[in-house]
Coordinates of all heavy atoms in Angstrom, one line a residue:
E269 N 115.1 84.6 123.3 CA 116.0 83.8 124.0 C 116.8 82.9 123.0 O 118.0 82.7 123.2 CB 115.3 82.8 125.0 CG 114.9 83.6 126.2 CD 114.3 82.6 127.2 OE1 113.6 81.7 126.8 OE2 114.5 82.9 128.4
E270 N 116.2 82.5 121.9 CA 116.9 81.6 120.9 C 117.9 82.4 120.1 O 118.6 81.8 119.3 CB 115.9 80.9 120.0 CG 114.8 81.9 119.4 CD 113.5 81.9 120.1 OE1 113.5 82.0 121.4 OE2 112.5 81.8 119.5
D271 N 118.0 83.7 120.3 CA 119.0 84.5 119.6 C 120.3 84.4 120.3 O 121.4 84.9 119.8 CB 118.6 85.9 119.4 CG 117.4 86.1 118.5 OD1 117.4 85.4 117.5 OD2 116.5 86.9 118.8
T272 N 120.3 83.8 121.5 CA 121.6 83.7 122.3 C 122.6 82.9 121.6 O 122.3 81.9 121.0 CB 121.2 83.1 123.7 OG1 120.4 83.9 124.4 CG2 122.5 82.8 124.5
G273 N 123.8 83.4 121.6 CA 124.9 82.6 121.0 C 126.1 83.5 120.8 O 126.1 84.7 121.1
M274 N 127.2 82.9 120.2 CA 128.4 83.6 119.8 C 128.2 84.1 118.4 O 127.9 83.3 117.5 CB 129.6 82.8 120.0 CG 130.9 83.5 119.7 SD 131.4 84.7 121.0 CE 131.8 83.5 122.3
Y275 N 128.3 85.4 118.2 CA 128.1 86.0 116.9 C 129.5 86.3 116.3 O 130.3 86.9 116.9 CB 127.3 87.2 117.0 CG 125.8 87.0 117.1 CD1 125.3 86.4 118.3 CD2 124.9 87.2 116.1 CE1 124.0 86.1 118.5 CE2 123.6 86.9 116.3 CZ 123.1 86.4 117.4 OH 121.8 86.1 117.6
F276 N 129.7 85.8 115.1 CA 130.9 85.9 114.3 C 130.7 86.8 113.1 O 129.8 86.6 112.3 CB 131.5 84.6 113.9 CG 131.8 83.6 115.0 CD1 130.9 82.8 115.5 CD2 133.1 83.6 115.6 CE1 131.1 81.9 116.5 CE2 133.4 82.8 116.6 CZ 132.4 81.9 117.1
C277 N 131.6 87.7 112.9 CA 131.7 88.5 111.7 C 132.6 87.8 110.7 O 133.6 87.2 111.1 CB 132.2 89.9 112.0 SG 132.4 90.9 110.6
A278 N 132.2 87.8 109.5 CA 133.0 87.1 108.4 C 133.1 87.9 107.2 O 132.1 88.6 106.9 CB 132.5 85.7 108.2
G279 N 134.2 87.8 106.4 CA 134.3 88.5 105.2 C 135.1 87.8 104.2 O 135.8 86.8 104.5
S280 N 135.0 88.3 102.9 CA 135.8 87.7 101.8 C 136.6 88.9 101.3 O 136.3 90.1 101.4 CB 134.9 87.2 100.7 OG 134.1 88.2 100.1
L281 N 137.7 88.5 100.7 CA 138.6 89.5 100.1 C 138.0 90.1 98.8 O 138.3 91.3 98.5 CB 140.0 88.9 99.8 CG 140.8 88.5 101.0 CD1 142.1 87.9 100.5 CD2 141.1 89.7 101.9
S282 N 137.2 89.4 98.2 CA 136.5 89.8 97.0 C 135.2 89.0 96.8 O 135.1 87.9 97.4 CB 137.4 89.8 95.7 OG 137.7 88.5 95.4
G283 N 134.4 89.4 95.9 CA 133.2 88.6 95.6 C 132.2 89.3 94.8 O 132.3 90.5 94.4
T284 N 131.2 88.6 94.4 CA 130.0 89.2 93.6 C 128.8 88.8 94.4 O 128.8 88.0 95.3 CB 130.0 88.6 92.2 OG1 129.8 87.1 92.3 CG2 131.2 88.9 91.4
W285 N 127.7 89.5 94.0 CA 126.5 89.3 94.8 C 126.0 87.9 94.9 O 125.5 87.4 95.9 CB 125.4 90.3 94.3 CG 124.9 89.9 92.9 CD1 125.3 90.4 91.7 CD2 123.8 89.0 92.6 NE1 124.6 89.8 90.7 CE2 123.7 88.9 91.2 CE3 123.0 88.2 93.4 CZ2 122.7 88.1 90.6 CZ3 122.0 87.4 92.8 CH2 121.9 87.4 91.4
Y286 N 126.1 87.2 93.7 CA 125.6 85.8 93.7 C 126.5 84.9 94.5 O 126.1 83.7 94.8 CB 125.4 85.3 92.3 CG 126.7 85.4 91.4 CD1 127.6 84.4 91.3 CD2 126.8 86.5 90.5 CE1 128.7 84.5 90.5 CE2 128.0 86.6 89.7 CZ 128.9 85.6 89.7 OH 130.0 85.7 88.9
Q287 N 127.8 85.3 94.8 CA 128.7 84.5 95.6 C 128.4 84.8 97.1 O 128.6 83.9 97.9 CB 130.1 84.8 95.3 CG 130.5 84.3 93.9 CD 132.0 84.7 93.6 OE1 132.3 85.9 93.8 NE2 132.7 83.8 93.0
C288 N 127.9 86.0 97.4 CA 127.7 86.4 98.7 C 126.4 85.9 99.3 O 126.3 85.6 100.5 CB 127.7 87.9 98.9 SG 129.2 88.7 98.4
L289 N 125.4 85.8 98.4 CA 124.0 85.5 98.9 C 123.4 84.3 98.1 O 123.5 84.3 96.9 CB 123.1 86.7 98.6 CG 123.7 88.1 99.0 CD1 122.8 89.2 98.6 CD2 123.9 88.1 100.5
P290 N 122.9 83.4 98.9 CA 123.0 83.2 100.3 C 124.4 82.9 100.8 O 125.2 82.4 100.1 CB 122.0 82.1 100.6 CG 122.1 81.2 99.4 CD 122.2 82.2 98.3
P291 N 124.7 83.2 102.0 CA 126.1 83.1 102.5 C 126.4 81.6 102.7 O 125.7 80.8 103.3 CB 126.1 83.8 103.9 CG 124.6 83.8 104.3 CD 123.8 83.9 103.1
R292 N 127.6 81.3 102.3 CA 128.2 79.9 102.5 C 129.6 80.1 103.2 O 130.3 81.1 102.8 CB 128.4 79.2 101.2 CG 127.1 78.9 100.4 CD 127.4 77.9 99.3 NE 128.5 78.2 98.5 CZ 129.1 77.4 97.6 NH1 128.7 76.2 97.5 NH2 130.1 77.8 96.9
E293 N 129.9 79.3 104.1 CA 131.1 79.5 104.9 C 132.3 79.5 104.0 O 133.3 80.2 104.3 CB 131.2 78.4 106.0 CG 130.2 78.6 107.1 CD 130.5 77.7 108.3 OE1 131.6 77.2 108.4 OE2 129.6 77.5 109.1
R294 N 132.3 78.7 103.0 CA 133.5 78.6 102.1 C 133.8 79.9 101.4 O 134.9 80.1 100.9 CB 133.3 77.5 101.1 CG 133.4 76.1 101.7 CD 133.5 75.0 100.6 NE 132.3 74.9 99.8 CZ 132.1 74.1 98.8 NH1 133.0 73.3 98.5 NH2 130.9 74.1 98.2
T295 N 132.8 80.8 101.3 CA 133.0 82.1 100.6 C 133.8 83.0 101.5 O 134.5 83.9 101.0 CB 131.6 82.7 100.3 OG1 130.8 81.9 99.5 CG2 131.8 84.1 99.7
Y296 N 133.7 82.8 102.8 CA 134.3 83.7 103.7 C 135.7 83.2 104.3 O 135.7 82.1 104.9 CB 133.3 83.9 104.9 CG 132.1 84.6 104.3 CD1 131.0 83.8 103.9 CD2 132.0 85.9 104.2 CE1 129.9 84.3 103.4 CE2 130.8 86.5 103.7 CZ 129.8 85.7 103.2 OH 128.7 86.3 102.7
N297 N 136.7 83.9 104.0 CA 138.1 83.5 104.4 C 138.7 84.3 105.5 O 139.8 84.2 105.9 CB 139.0 83.4 103.2 CG 138.9 84.6 102.3 OD1 138.5 85.7 102.8 ND2 139.3 84.5 101.1
I298 N 137.9 85.3 106.0 CA 138.4 86.1 107.1 C 137.3 86.1 108.2 O 136.1 86.4 107.9 CB 138.6 87.6 106.7 CG1 139.5 87.7 105.4 CG2 139.2 88.4 107.8 CD1 139.6 89.1 104.8
W299 N 137.7 85.7 109.4 CA 136.8 85.6 110.5 C 137.2 86.3 111.7 O 138.4 86.3 112.0 CB 136.6 84.1 110.8 CG 135.9 83.3 109.8 CD1 136.4 82.8 108.6 CD2 134.5 82.9 109.8 NE1 135.4 82.2 107.9 CE2 134.2 82.2 108.6 CE3 133.5 83.0 110.8 CZ2 133.0 81.6 108.4 CZ3 132.2 82.5 110.5 CH2 132.0 81.8 109.3
G300 N 136.2 86.9 112.4 CA 136.5 87.5 113.7 C 136.5 86.5 114.7 O 136.1 85.3 114.5
Q301 N 136.8 86.9 116.0 CA 136.9 85.9 117.1 C 135.5 85.8 117.8 O 135.4 84.9 118.6 CB 138.0 86.3 118.1 CG 139.4 86.3 117.5 CD 140.4 86.5 118.6 OE1 140.2 86.2 119.7 NE2 141.6 86.9 118.1
G302 N 134.6 86.6 117.4 CA 133.2 86.5 118.0 C 132.9 87.4 119.1 O 133.8 87.8 119.8

């Protein structure tokens, strides 16, 4: 039940593994509507 929510896909135009993980919102500049 606690998994309930709006799920958003997000992406970056470029990046490296250490920038991607762990994910920070500032890394992601492209967002879906959910």
Side-chain angles (χ1 to χ4, degrees):
E269 287 185 322
E270 51 262 45
D271 293 320
T272 293
M274 185 70 72
Y275 283 69
F276 298 91
C277 178
S280 67
L281 292 176
S282 63
T284 58
W285 68 267
Y286 56 86
Q287 293 174 316
C288 299
L289 314 174
R292 298 195 306 166
E293 290 191 18
R294 287 190 295 179
T295 299
Y296 299 88
N297 47 23
I298 308 172
W299 290 78
Q301 294 189 27

